[in-house]
Amino acid sequence: MPRRKSRNDGHRSHGRRVLIQDVIPYEVVENLDALRGPGEGVLTLPQHVYWGPVPECDLSEPEGVIKAYQAILREGTKADQERLLNAGLLVRVWAELMLPVRVRVLWESSFPQLVQQP
């Protein structure tokens, strides 16, 4: 009876697998003071930052802030981050954001004030 070939036949893994989340080139601004985005109102995310069906985010609603900030931190360039993020708002919502581990580590290592102590 023929043996079914495994997906790994002939391809031995020698070490840790590289995952896309480990190599995405996330950007981080140089200084939190450079974040001069709006702290209120409706923010419309550019398509290269958020390609979902509704790019508008109401910053008066927690869900709007979280949606916008998660997308901007994951997908935005430094210029996008400076233009769209608000430093005070970022510090307030940081703990609530669901971010890739590398994004969180990069930002927290650059800006320890984001890490809120209980």
Side-chain angles (χ1 to χ4, degrees):
M1 175 174 214
R3 182 175 82 96
R4 185 175 173 152
K5 199 171 183 181
S6 167
R7 290 181 358 149
N8 292 329
D9 280 358
H11 300 284
R12 297 277 184 226
S13 177
H14 297 288
R16 186 172 175 263
R17 287 182 27 191
V18 176
L19 305 174
I20 188 71
Q21 67 190 17
D22 297 330
V23 295
I24 292 175
Y26 298 114
E27 295 194 24
V28 179
V29 295
E30 307 295 322
N31 188 324
L32 280 185
D33 293 335
L35 303 179
R36 58 188 183 282
E40 58 186 23
V42 175
L43 179 63
T44 301
L45 299 174
Q47 188 173 15
H48 68 275
V49 170
Y50 182 79
W51 47 91
V54 182
E56 294 81 20
C57 302
D58 185 348
L59 300 180
S60 68
E61 299 290 330
E63 299 82 16
V65 176
I66 289 170
K67 170 184 165 181
Y69 279 42
Q70 288 176 166
I72 296 164
L73 291 165
R74 281 192 320 262
E75 305 294 337
T77 63
K78 288 180 184 181
D80 294 325
Q81 294 165 357
E82 290 176 356
R83 183 172 48 85
L84 300 171
L85 295 174
N86 176 282
L89 193 50
L90 177 63
V91 170
R92 281 197 307 275
V93 302
W94 182 256
E96 300 171 48
L97 299 175
M98 293 186 63
L99 298 167
V101 172
R102 273 189 53 243
V103 171
R104 188 166 294 282
V105 168
L106 287 168
W107 278 80
E108 288 178 354
S109 64
S110 295
F111 308 110
Q113 63 267 45
L114 292 173
V115 182
Q116 299 175 0
Q117 301 299 321

